[in-house]
Structures are given as structure tokens and as C-alpha cells.
Amino acid sequence: MKDVILVVSDTESLYQTMLASAQDAGYQVMLVHTFPDANRVISTALPLILVMEPFVSGIPTVSFIRYLRSWRRTKALRVIVVSTTTSDHDCVEALDAGADDHIMVPFSASELLSRVRSVTRVLPPPSALRTWPVTFGSVTLDRISRRVISRADGKEIEIRLGPIGFELLHFFLSRPETLFARDEILRAVWRGDTSLSSQNVAVQISLIRAEMRRCAANVAIESVKRQGYRMVTLSGNH
């Protein structure tokens, strides 16, 4: 289902909000009301993207996102969570679970479609076309298995990332010790989408850092004031 947006919502309001604009833009929009129904659709053919609310039938959406990220078939499926509240908690929880983006009310159908285009346009940088694993320090990223592993103290721990975080980490691991400005990162990983800002880069880097700390990786994405970011080895862990 190449151009299908699958909406998962208890009600039809989100579906109706984006239906006309999405169809005008060339997308097909499908609506399901439960996660089992969404899973049945996905098991038949993968949609372009899922658009979901924070809770569906009283079940946290983050649980379904984690389920999707745990399977190889759906590990890279794009997900946007639409929050009906203005709480930052929903945003942080969704992104931490592996969502690619989060949008809060109020928003227009055109803004939501812009986010859909942004997320689905995230492509590997040219160097990512190679398929063999990339390693820097204790971290190895494998594009074929879509896994990132940190090897520390004789243990292997998986670094859990959503599709955008995966591509962003690959960008840095492929170019260690190289300083990149935020707009360079946006151009390379998000293909220069003008609807995005440096905050999108900062949020994804924050999620990557949290995972790498959890896994005791000996490398990190370093911030350089007013200049950008680079991947470095941590002091004392060479």
C-alpha cells in the first residue's frame, strides 16, 4: 500500500480532518478503530505511514509502537502520533517509544500532511547505500538487520531507535569526528525539508543520547556551541 495513510483512532474526527486534503495530495486514507484491526491491515500490506492518537480504546499507543519496533517487518514503518492535549508528556513518551514525529493540537490538515511528507521523505544519505555494518567505538549499526548494538564489558546491548533515529545515527557513525551544522544534518537526513527546524534534529539526538547512555556506549554525539554536532569517543574509553 505505497500511498496509504492508515489512521488508528477511536473516532472518525482525525480521519475526516485529513481526508479531503490527503486525497487531493494523492494519498489514500484508511481508518481502523483498534490496534488488532491495524495489525491485520499491516500483516497484509504495509501502509506508507501510521497516524495515531495517544490512546486507542483506552490502550496507550506507545505499547503498539513498541510492538511494531520489535518486529523486523514493521521496524521501519513510519509513525506519527497526534495528541489531543497540549501536554509535552505525550510527545516525549511517543518519541521515546519509537514514533517518528508528534504533532499537538491545534493543527491543520495541511500541517499534518506536511509532517507526513517530511517523515516519509527521510532517506539514507548517499553513503548509506552500502549494506555492510558500520562500527565506531563500541557501537555497530547493521542496515540489513536494522539493528544497532553496543558492546561494552563483554555484553551486547541493543540500542532501540525509530527509523529517523536509525538514519541519523548512521549519518554520524559513518562520519566520526566530523562536525556538522544543523542545516547540513537536515539536508542530509531529512533531505532539506523546509517545514522542519533545528529542533527536530535536537529532539532526535536527545533520544539517541539517552539510548547510548543506557547501553553504556563509549561514543557520543557531542554538541559544539553555535556550530553543530559530531560523533566522538568518550574520554577514558578509547
Side-chain angles (χ1 to χ4, degrees):
M1 296 191 292
K2 181 180 177 182
D3 297 316
V4 172
I5 299 171
L6 181 61
V7 176
V8 189
S9 173
D10 284 332
T11 68
E12 294 200 5
S13 57
L14 177 59
Y15 171 76
Q16 294 296 341
T17 295
M18 64 185 306
L19 181 59
S21 296
Q23 289 178 335
D24 289 345
Y27 298 106
Q28 178 185 348
V29 186
M30 292 180 60
L31 172 66
V32 294
H33 296 297
T34 69
F35 293 133
D37 286 342
N39 204 34
R40 278 191 284 274
V41 172
I42 291 167
S43 65
T44 302
L46 288 177
L48 177 70
I49 190 169
L50 295 185
V51 177
M52 303 187 290
E53 293 173 340
F55 290 88
V56 177
S57 300
I59 301 172
T61 291
V62 295
S63 301
F64 190 57
I65 296 173
R66 292 190 182 106
Y67 165 78
L68 294 174
R69 297 296 179 241
S70 69
W71 293 94
R72 182 174 179 180
R73 172 178 166 76
T74 56
K75 197 176 185 71
L77 181 61
R78 305 307 199 212
V79 175
I80 293 179
V81 175
V82 176
S83 179
T84 53
T85 73
T86 56
S87 169
D88 287 339
H89 174 74
D90 288 340
C91 173
V92 172
E93 194 172 38
L95 293 172
D96 191 45
D100 297 285
D101 201 356
H102 180 278
I103 185 169
M104 293 189 292
V105 294
F107 61 85
S108 64
S110 60
E111 181 183 359
L112 181 53
L113 283 178
S114 176
R115 298 293 190 95
V116 168
R117 287 191 293 269
S118 297
V119 168
T120 55
R121 265 205 308 266
V122 173
L123 298 172
S127 65
L129 295 177
R130 68 187 198 180
T131 57
W132 56 85
V134 177
T135 299
F136 180 59
S138 65
V139 177
T140 297
L141 181 149
D142 189 329
R143 296 199 65 82
I144 295 177
S145 66
R146 302 291 297 182
R147 297 184 73 205
V148 186
I149 300 295
S150 174
R151 294 176 174 84
D153 300 324
K155 299 178 181 178
E156 288 191 356
I157 306 175
E158 184 168 3
I159 296 175
R160 301 187 299 263
L161 299 171
I164 293 179
F166 184 91
E167 299 301 344
L168 185 57
L169 181 58
H170 185 278
F171 176 81
F172 282 108
L173 288 175
S174 301
R175 306 159 178 82
E177 309 289 351
T178 304
L179 179 64
F180 294 98
R182 291 172 182 82
D183 60 343
E184 290 181 287
I185 299 168
L186 280 169
R187 284 197 301 271
V189 180
W190 281 269
R191 289 296 187 261
D193 193 322
T194 57
S195 68
L196 299 174
S197 70
S198 60
Q199 185 61 26
N200 294 83
V201 177
V203 168
Q204 291 295 330
I205 286 178
S206 177
L207 294 172
I208 292 172
R209 285 171 170 166
E211 272 297 284
M212 293 178 79
R213 285 194 299 269
R214 181 185 66 82
C215 297
N218 67 358
V219 298
I221 299 176
E222 177 186 66
S223 298
V224 180
K225 192 173 182 179
R226 297 191 183 90
Q227 295 185 60
Y229 302 94
R230 63 186 168 203
M231 178 69 74
V232 297
T233 52
L234 297 174
S235 299
N237 289 304
H238 293 276

